[in-house]
Amino acid sequence: MDLCMVLVHCCSLFLFLHLMKAAYRNGHISAAVEAEGHVAECHTRYYPNYRIHNADLTRMYYAGVPSIIQAARQFYIEAALLELFAATKVFGWMSSMNCARVYNYALAQWHTYMSNNRRAFDATLPQAFDKEFSWHCLVLPHDEQQWTRIDVALNERNKEMEGIGQEAYLHACDLCFIVIGDDPKTKIQAAVCDSNTIRHLCCMVHDCKVLLMTNHHRFCPDHQDLNQQCAVNGCDELHTSGSRTCGNVDHQALEDAYFKPAKALFQLRAQLKRAGITLPLDSVPSASDSGGSNSNSAGEDLEVILDSECDGKLDNGNRHLRARFARATFFGSEAVSAVNEFAKTVFPTAVSTLEFFVFDNNCKLHAHQDTIGDDHFATTGMPVDVFHFNLKHKETDTYCQQHCNPATFPELISGGKWRFNTSICEQTNVWLGGYQAILRDMSVHWYNFYLDEMIKHQNHYVISESERRGHSPWTISMDALFDSD
């Protein structure tokens, strides 16, 4: 790119953004004419957010986040307005459609129009990439629909978010990074781990990770032949014409009962929950909230949450800030072997492991590590959270009592009260449950991207609140946890 071309592009883009900003301040979101520049010598076309090279038909987005973003061919949105939409999603569980409706109803002037469809949010994705990841310029194929051209980049971005990818992974403050003793001083950090059955659609074959062709398919491309089988688990007979079950009378009765209009109250409640109609009352969950689990879920998301100090339970429950900093998807079940590998991905080095790892099935996890000789968490205490230990762990289980009784770890107690709220994941699951209606039709890449973004924005709020309350948030050095060599 020669200097002349750079000046032409920069001047035209500056003029366009200046005009767009003036139009926005007067209530305009849409633009009647699309700004476009073309340089014949290098066969490149320039647009406000990206440039297209005609030779290889690639679309390269400019680095950084502009103040005005092209959301569709002739529609532009100021970045501050998109941040407002993001906040409504984090704290109000609002869909993109409802964000557009709220804007059109409450904020837009009579001559302003905002497209009420998902394409209005597609072009804002590259800005999410530019904020935090290693590439300087996002390059996508141009001769595809926006909905499909972004998939490969989304998959790469989602992989970078796994393990240590979240911004808040290195977060610390006076509440979650506790120093006790005088000589020597000892730090205490704790992670709480739990599962949530809010999930994306996947192949019905247990533990199959091959993606569905569309969300309307029951099986992945590798298992399409199973569509011919009876839908009843364990039955290998072919289904009859016009039915999902075989000729077995009992199986046909099951199908009839499945499609019969539900009349029982518990069935109606289950339908309401699946539809995502009921939402939590507060996006900052309280201790009285509890997240349920669905045993029929095709996959489970496992999250690790860095918890804050527990000063004792108030009358209306504990309300503590917490930074969510890791997640993974489990297909089929929450096996302790998979939890072990996940935990090692989140804490890959000996220095990065915390003093305590709280999990409701730590006794089985600890036994698994002993059996395979895995000493990665040899210096990490592994208590079971107080709620599950009291209700689901037998007093006669000496192994569990010896290794996982939270009362055997005196560092967790201060002044007769627990330092950490070990039920924090259950409360966070209530917040995640508010996204069920939005996530249910998303593909796996969009599902992971959306939740990662919601978690990231919620973490921003949590850390800002921690600073406002005087808890001195800071960032741990990456070199302190991972050897640069």
Side-chain angles (χ1 to χ4, degrees):
M1 181 182 295
D2 56 42
L3 180 59
C4 179
M5 182 177 64
V6 172
L7 293 177
V8 169
H9 164 59
C10 290
C11 290
S12 62
L13 182 59
F14 174 80
L15 177 60
F16 167 76
L17 292 179
H18 177 75
L19 292 175
M20 278 305 307
K21 200 173 187 74
Y24 175 83
R25 293 306 183 190
N26 290 323
H28 293 276
I29 285 293
S30 61
V33 180
E34 180 180 8
E36 177 181 345
H38 179 255
V39 181
E41 290 77 8
C42 63
H43 307 286
T44 303
R45 286 174 289 163
Y46 292 89
Y47 294 86
N49 290 359
Y50 56 86
R51 63 178 180 267
I52 299 173
H53 195 274
N54 294 336
D56 55 7
L57 290 177
T58 57
R59 175 182 293 192
M60 177 178 289
Y61 287 84
Y62 310 128
V65 182
S67 59
I68 296 176
I69 297 171
Q70 183 181 23
R73 185 169 179 82
Q74 293 184 352
F75 292 88
Y76 302 85
I77 305 178
E78 193 172 33
L81 180 60
L82 291 175
E83 289 295 334
L84 174 63
F85 290 156
T88 62
K89 290 171 178 287
V90 173
F91 303 114
W93 304 277
M94 289 179 60
S95 64
S96 297
M97 178 70 77
N98 285 335
C99 286
R101 286 170 175 161
V102 168
Y103 178 85
N104 287 334
Y105 181 78
L107 298 178
Q109 298 183 20
W110 66 272
H111 53 276
T112 305
Y113 175 74
M114 179 177 173
S115 181
N116 281 339
N117 61 69
R118 66 190 182 190
R119 291 184 303 165
F121 293 85
D122 288 346
T124 63
L125 287 173
Q127 281 65 46
F129 288 84
D130 288 337
K131 279 186 176 181
E132 52 193 314
F133 290 104
S134 55
W135 47 63
H136 298 289
C137 294
L138 177 64
V139 180
L140 299 176
H142 177 64
D143 56 345
E144 295 182 17
Q145 294 294 323
Q146 178 74 356
W147 195 252
T148 56
R149 73 161 59 95
I150 200 73
D151 272 355
V152 173
L154 275 178
N155 188 36
E156 294 178 4
R157 185 263 189 195
N158 292 338
K159 288 181 179 179
E160 290 201 34
M161 289 292 282
E162 295 177 356
I164 64 174
Q166 275 285 354
E167 291 177 357
Y169 179 82
L170 298 173
H171 164 75
C173 67
D174 294 344
L175 297 179
C176 64
F177 192 101
I178 301 173
V179 179
I180 61 174
D182 294 323
D183 190 20
K185 293 182 178 180
T186 304
K187 83 170 179 74
I188 300 177
Q189 283 184 289
V192 185
C193 180
D194 197 9
S195 63
N196 189 335
T197 52
I198 181 173
R199 76 275 190 263
H200 58 76
L201 297 177
C202 63
C203 180
M204 294 190 66
V205 174
H206 180 77
D207 206 28
C208 177
K209 300 177 179 62
V210 180
L211 301 182
L212 299 175
M213 289 185 288
T214 72
N215 281 355
H216 298 292
H217 288 81
R218 296 173 59 229
F219 297 98
C220 69
D222 295 349
H223 297 111
Q224 283 297 302
D225 57 306
L226 297 180
N227 279 312
Q228 309 303 319
Q229 288 187 3
C230 176
V232 176
N233 289 337
C235 181
D236 297 329
E237 298 294 326
L238 299 179
H239 67 74
T240 59
S241 179
S243 173
R244 295 186 182 181
T245 55
C246 62
N248 187 303
V249 177
D250 293 335
H251 293 181
Q252 292 179 353
L254 287 174
E255 184 177 10
D256 291 340
Y258 179 83
F259 288 106
K260 184 180 298 184
K263 296 181 179 180
L265 181 59
F266 76 92
Q267 290 177 312
L268 296 176
R269 285 174 175 169
Q271 288 183 4
L272 190 66
K273 180 178 179 181
R274 288 196 298 271
I277 302 300
T278 56
L279 292 176
L281 297 177
D282 194 346
S283 59
V284 182
S286 66
S288 58
D289 299 325
S290 61
S293 61
N294 179 3
S295 59
N296 296 323
S297 172
E300 294 184 347
D301 278 341
L302 199 69
E303 59 182 329
V304 175
I305 293 172
L306 191 62
D307 189 22
S308 62
E309 185 177 4
C310 177
D311 294 324
K313 189 171 182 179
L314 304 176
D315 294 337
N316 61 346
N318 285 328
R319 300 179 62 84
H320 291 295
L321 304 178
R322 75 286 300 173
R324 304 151 183 86
F325 65 93
R327 57 91 184 155
T329 300
F330 287 6
F331 290 80
S333 64
E334 185 185 322
V336 292
S337 57
V339 175
N340 187 51
E341 292 304 314
F342 168 58
K344 290 165 67 175
T345 301
V346 179
F347 309 108
T349 65
V351 179
S352 66
T353 58
L354 305 184
E355 285 66 40
F356 295 98
F357 184 81
V358 183
F359 180 49
D360 58 12
N361 201 18
N362 255 344
C363 50
K364 294 293 192 296
L365 177 60
H366 197 286
H368 169 74
Q369 293 171 345
D370 282 348
T371 300
I372 65 175
D374 188 348
D375 60 356
H376 187 80
F377 293 99
T379 60
T380 299
M382 301 180 66
V384 173
D385 66 275
V386 178
F387 174 79
H388 285 93
F389 191 84
N390 288 332
L391 295 182
K392 298 186 178 182
H393 293 259
K394 297 179 180 179
E395 294 183 11
T396 56
D397 188 341
T398 56
Y399 186 91
C400 180
Q401 293 289 337
Q402 178 183 356
H403 295 284
C404 302
N405 188 329
T408 61
F409 300 95
E411 301 93 336
L412 291 175
I413 303 172
S414 176
K417 301 177 182 179
W418 299 107
R419 290 184 184 274
F420 299 97
N421 177 10
T422 57
S423 297
I424 199 65
C425 277
E426 300 293 338
Q427 300 163 27
T428 300
N429 286 344
V430 176
W431 173 68
L432 289 173
Y435 295 106
Q436 286 183 351
I438 300 174
L439 297 169
R440 61 187 177 189
D441 291 328
M442 287 188 181
S443 67
V444 55
H445 302 320
W446 287 81
Y447 166 93
N448 288 326
F449 172 80
Y450 189 92
L451 277 187
D452 283 337
E453 284 297 299
M454 294 301 99
I455 291 172
K456 183 184 71 176
H457 280 80
Q458 179 79 333
N459 285 341
H460 289 170
Y461 168 76
V462 166
I463 294 173
S464 66
E465 283 293 288
S466 177
E467 184 172 14
R468 184 181 67 84
R469 298 179 183 183
H471 299 312
S472 305
W474 53 286
T475 301
I476 300 173
S477 169
M478 184 69 76
D479 292 339
L481 299 181
F482 306 101
D483 191 344
S484 59
D485 297 334

